[in-house]
Amino acid sequence: MSDQSETLSNLLHEERRFPPPADLAADANVTEEAYARASADRLAFWEQAAERLDWGQRWDQVLDWSNPPFAKWFTGATINASVNCVDRHVAAGRGDKVAFHWVGEPEGDTRDLTYADLQAEVCKATNALIELGVQKGDRVAIYMPMIPETAIAMLACARLGAPHTVVFGGFSADALASRVEDCDAKVVITSDGGYRRGAPSALKPAVDEACEKTGDLVRNVLVVRRTGQDVAWDDSRDVWWHELVDRQSPEHEAELHDSEHPLYVMYTSGTTGKPKGILHTTGGYLVGTSFTHWEVFDLKPETDVYWCTADVGWVTGHSYMVYGPLANGATQVMYEGTPDSPHKGRWWEIIQQYGVTIFYTAPTAIRTFMKWGDDIPAQFDLSSIRLLGSVGESINPEAYVWYRQHIGADQAPIVDTWWQTETGQIMISPLPGVTHGKPGSAMTPLPGIAAEVVDDNAQPVPNGSGGYLVLKEPWPAMLRTLWGDDQRFKDTYWSRWEGLYFAGDGAKKDEDGDIWLLGRVDDVMNVSGHRLSTTEIESALVSHPKVAEAAVVGAADEMTGQAVCAFVILREAAGDGGDDIVQELRNHVAHEIGPIAKPRQVMVVPELPKTRSGKIMRRLLKDIAEHREVGDVTTLADSTVMDLIKSKEGGSSSDE
Ligand code: PRX
């Protein structure tokens, strides 16, 4: 973490502070008193947050922590997530309120869905799943573009109590197959394709390939027609959404599920090659996401138009596009495509068109816009914006200030939200009506959240020092386990220190005690706010017939935060691998995992630096990837290796 500490000491010279605008502070959903109230009685605080939802049976206990680390929240209570996100708003007379302003990538291709529309569509989709034989407890995989049917499918699964697993549409057939297999999904919901960068991009072929790989596992594939492109069709398995769903009844009486009934499984990269199936359950998750969405974004459902740009295939899309905002009755924008299609001002044009007031995106996107130029957002009326959010990685002060100035008219507070797939809900963030924001810091744990920065002995570090970020007390939307692997759940998160959840991030407390995130301390990379495991990419490389061994590191990258850099040793039989070896390996990784995992750089090397016990010293490879003087090599089994690697530098690498 030495280079990170250097960055940090620069950051700590940051003197700028941005107090909340007076009108926002005066009318904020959550004020300063919440911190004291939550610390006086944390469970009473969450119990009060739970009152914002509609329950069937009330709970016996707010939290059952008698068998740590397996938490149960709102035990004995019953609830239906879909009813809370949809039906209750219609029942309260808000059926005509827009739930989604959906914007397709092709210009003019838009669709508004009110809460009443959403209710009808969700009920029809639920009835369709029932017709396909899906029962409570069955798993359903969803592999979709950003279209309303994706949220509808998720809510239909939730309604039925069939846990969904949404697989990001940019992942490969292999990644989809391994997830379908791990959670034993009987049905896959997909579409022929979606629009990206001005052209239809196919999804169904990857589903076909995944079905082939998983044998007879998948019984049905439900296919939304989005682009109209040609698709291969298996009559015994494939069903068109418009043929099955459209003819169903728009009514469905929802069953109430136990508060701890599984809601979804979301796969994320860990330190080994096998992705982890993060399990979220119903009651606590809905309390945690809906409350924090209302709290951190200061949502006023009657007047705000909220837009979270995350893909629904990631946890941000689950917590802060589907479950949190819909439970709060928000009006949202959902956009299908890329920010530069058909022009680089597309996002700002959408904000202007719909009067977006709250905007939530990732630092990597902000840096891209900075590069494209201030003049682009300046062409649009962004005066509706009153609050900005950031997620996925630390937002560097330059990007923070640019975001505030050029998108937020130097007025809108920025909430830098730290959380994880595992935490389900935002954990560390400014409160927009309370906090005096510092560019680059996620500030303090939210009320009701017990986060700390500790040293190797689990002792809190003093202000001004760095250590590991841990969570000391359970929180409502926390993961309950890893799907089918309780032991890995314990080992991964709870084994380092007794009773503490280890998030895997390094952090530092500044002189005021505010928290600065320093990135992962394990073998996990963060590329454009997405988590990738070094081991997973190494396995993909080694699966190529020409590769004998591979080591992958995340190197600092101006645009994407970190970038994937691979070092490979070829098999002898492969000779020098041929002229196109670098491109071939990059494409191979994209095919095995997905385009986001494609290495920025591949270096073919004769050796890898290893310790005497055979552990690859990634730190040294990182020095090379980041063009630094190579550090201490004394623990290497063969100290000449680094010279060999350095002599190859530039030879076979490829930067795009
Ligand atoms: O390293 C932290 C980083 O992203 C990781 C979680 O990744 P994922 O589960 O994919 O979820 C991303 C969206 C919630 C964290 O362990 N991270 C996320 N938000 C921030 C962050 N790092 C610094 N600042 C943030 N605001």
Side-chain angles (χ1 to χ4, degrees):
M1 275 171 39
S2 63
D3 44 315
Q4 285 164 338
S5 306
E6 267 168 44
T7 323
L8 188 90
S9 57
N10 295 336
L11 294 180
L12 291 179
H13 295 133
E14 178 61 65
E15 297 284 324
R16 287 168 289 196
R17 300 287 178 276
F18 296 104
D23 53 341
L24 197 155
D27 191 31
N29 288 347
V30 176
T31 57
E32 178 112 48
E33 65 75 38
Y35 291 103
R37 184 158 48 85
S39 63
D41 190 341
R42 196 171 50 88
L43 295 183
F45 181 83
W46 288 120
E47 183 162 38
Q48 202 178 352
E51 302 289 358
R52 302 176 66 256
L53 298 176
D54 283 0
W55 301 79
Q57 193 74 37
R58 297 274 302 178
W59 46 90
D60 309 317
Q61 239 185 319
V62 176
L63 167 68
D64 175 357
W65 191 231
S66 58
N67 181 30
F70 301 98
K72 291 191 178 131
W73 281 84
F74 307 103
T75 59
T78 57
I79 188 166
N80 188 294
S82 174
V83 168
N84 271 278
C85 288
V86 184
D87 304 50
R88 69 171 180 146
H89 306 309
V90 180
R94 294 190 295 270
D96 291 339
K97 187 176 194 298
V98 171
F100 284 112
H101 292 294
W102 176 75
V103 182
E105 196 186 79
E107 278 187 299
D109 186 4
T110 62
R111 185 177 163 197
D112 280 356
L113 274 110
T114 64
Y115 275 94
D117 296 336
L118 196 57
Q119 184 181 37
E121 294 304 321
V122 170
C123 289
K124 284 198 264 179
T126 309
N127 290 326
L129 290 178
I130 294 171
E131 193 176 313
L132 290 179
V134 177
Q135 294 180 0
K136 178 171 177 172
D138 290 349
R139 271 80 61 200
V140 175
I142 299 178
Y143 185 68
M144 297 270 264
M146 290 283 285
I147 55 176
E149 285 80 1
T150 312
I152 292 165
M154 290 164 73
L155 292 164
C157 290
R159 196 172 185 92
L160 212 51
H164 54 71
T165 187
V166 181
V167 180
F168 173 55
F171 274 136
S172 67
D174 275 356
L176 174 62
S178 71
R179 286 153 174 79
V180 162
E181 215 154 43
D182 190 74
C183 74
D184 194 10
K186 296 286 189 298
V187 170
V188 179
I189 307 178
T190 188
S191 72
D192 48 1
Y195 287 95
R196 287 194 77 69
R197 297 204 167 80
S201 160
L203 282 172
K204 174 85 168 30
V207 178
D208 294 340
E209 205 183 319
C211 286
E212 227 164 80
K213 284 183 201 293
T214 52
D216 295 334
L217 211 61
V218 176
R219 227 172 32 212
N220 288 112
V221 178
L222 184 55
V223 190
V224 175
R225 186 145 72 198
R226 162 66 188 134
T227 58
Q229 63 202 112
D230 281 342
V231 288
W233 203 256
D234 175 346
D235 277 327
S236 66
R237 187 194 67 198
D238 300 342
V239 190
W240 282 113
W241 176 286
H242 58 269
E243 286 178 3
L244 178 69
V245 176
D246 288 2
R247 64 175 164 77
Q248 302 291 328
S249 155
E251 275 159 36
H252 171 263
E253 179 102 25
E255 180 191 338
L256 294 164
H257 305 297
D258 188 90
S259 176
E260 282 299 332
H261 188 72
L263 181 63
Y264 70 81
V265 180
M266 163 118 274
Y267 286 87
T268 187
S269 296
T271 52
T272 69
K274 188 173 181 280
K276 301 178 288 196
I278 308 295
L279 174 67
H280 285 293
T281 61
T282 311
Y285 176 79
L286 213 56
V287 171
T289 54
S290 64
F291 180 75
T292 51
H293 178 256
W294 177 78
E295 169 189 48
V296 173
F297 298 103
D298 190 45
L299 179 84
K300 307 285 193 268
E302 298 311 317
T303 47
D304 276 319
V305 179
Y306 165 85
W307 182 15
C308 164
T309 66
D311 192 283
V312 72
W314 307 107
V315 74
T316 309
H318 282 50
S319 297
Y320 296 107
M321 191 168 75
V322 177
Y323 292 107
L326 292 178
N328 289 333
T331 292
Q332 307 189 62
V333 165
M334 180 184 196
Y335 172 56
E336 178 185 34
T338 54
D340 54 353
S341 196
H343 58 81
K344 290 184 170 136
R346 188 72 196 271
W347 280 12
W348 319 128
E349 184 179 70
I350 293 171
I351 290 179
Q352 170 180 288
Q353 184 177 355
Y354 291 99
V356 170
T357 57
I358 305 172
F359 183 66
Y360 191 28
T361 194
T364 181
I366 299 165
R367 289 193 295 266
T368 304
F369 294 122
M370 286 171 74
K371 188 178 76 175
W372 287 348
D374 308 350
D375 55 316
I376 296 176
Q379 291 160 27
F380 300 91
D381 177 5
L382 305 180
S383 58
S384 55
I385 293 277
R386 68 179 193 94
L387 202 151
L388 297 168
S390 169
V391 62
E393 60 177 306
S394 296
I395 176 165
N396 43 309
E398 298 76 7
Y400 182 109
V401 169
W402 186 91
Y403 193 29
R404 189 182 151 93
Q405 227 165 34
H406 295 279
I407 311 303
D410 232 344
Q411 279 289 314
I414 296 177
V415 288
D416 174 3
T417 63
W418 179 89
W419 60 295
Q420 308 179 293
T421 306
E422 290 86 344
T423 69
Q425 66 184 80
I426 298 171
M427 306 294 280
I428 305 177
S429 166
L431 280 184
V434 178
T435 313
H436 292 224
K438 295 177 188 172
S441 168
M443 304 304 286
T444 55
L446 288 174
I449 298 301
E452 188 48 271
V453 182
V454 299
D455 63 17
D456 284 318
N457 301 316
Q459 295 307 308
V461 300
N463 288 354
S465 303
Y468 308 99
L469 183 66
V470 297
L471 300 167
K472 297 189 299 181
E473 300 287 352
W475 61 100
M478 67 194 282
L479 78 166
R480 298 303 195 260
T481 188
L482 296 181
W483 184 257
D485 202 343
D486 287 349
Q487 191 57 46
R488 190 176 177 199
F489 169 60
K490 287 193 205 171
D491 293 347
T492 309
Y493 304 105
W494 302 92
S495 64
R496 191 138 172 181
W497 301 287
E498 180 75 31
L500 295 180
Y501 169 92
F502 177 39
D505 281 350
K508 190 150 175 171
K509 290 196 281 194
D510 67 15
E511 295 301 338
D512 304 322
D514 293 322
I515 295 175
W516 298 70
L517 276 308
L518 301 179
R520 307 286 305 185
V521 297
D522 53 16
D523 291 337
V524 174
M525 294 171 286
N526 188 330
V527 179
S528 299
H530 300 312
R531 245 204 273 183
L532 294 168
S533 119
T534 52
T535 326
E536 204 177 352
I537 300 177
E538 285 164 7
S539 313
L541 284 163
V542 175
S543 75
H544 189 283
K546 291 184 186 166
V547 175
E549 218 179 330
V552 165
V553 295
D557 185 279
E558 220 172 276
M559 225 21 88
T560 59
Q562 282 191 308
V564 180
C565 292
F567 296 79
V568 296
I569 303 177
L570 296 180
R571 286 171 192 252
E572 253 170 51
D576 68 358
D579 289 347
D580 298 329
I581 184 69
V582 168
Q583 203 48 42
E584 198 177 320
L585 294 179
R586 295 177 73 229
N587 291 343
H588 178 71
V589 174
H591 180 260
E592 291 290 303
I593 302 174
I596 48 162
K598 196 172 186 172
R600 180 189 73 183
Q601 199 174 15
V602 174
M603 282 177 76
V604 177
V605 293
E607 289 290 348
L608 288 170
K610 289 185 184 159
T611 60
R612 280 171 203 95
S613 62
K615 193 171 168 351
I616 293 174
M617 292 193 67
R618 289 201 176 73
R619 177 173 58 80
L620 299 178
L621 295 174
K622 212 167 152 157
D623 286 341
I624 292 200
E626 293 178 349
H627 311 293
R628 257 196 313 273
E629 195 60 23
V630 173
D632 182 11
V633 296
T634 50
T635 51
L636 281 181
D638 173 0
S639 60
T640 60
V641 166
M642 291 314 292
D643 297 331
L644 270 175
I645 295 176
K646 273 172 62 188
S647 70
K648 286 277 171 182
E649 195 183 359
S652 348
S653 69
S654 151
D655 273 304
E656 264 191 353

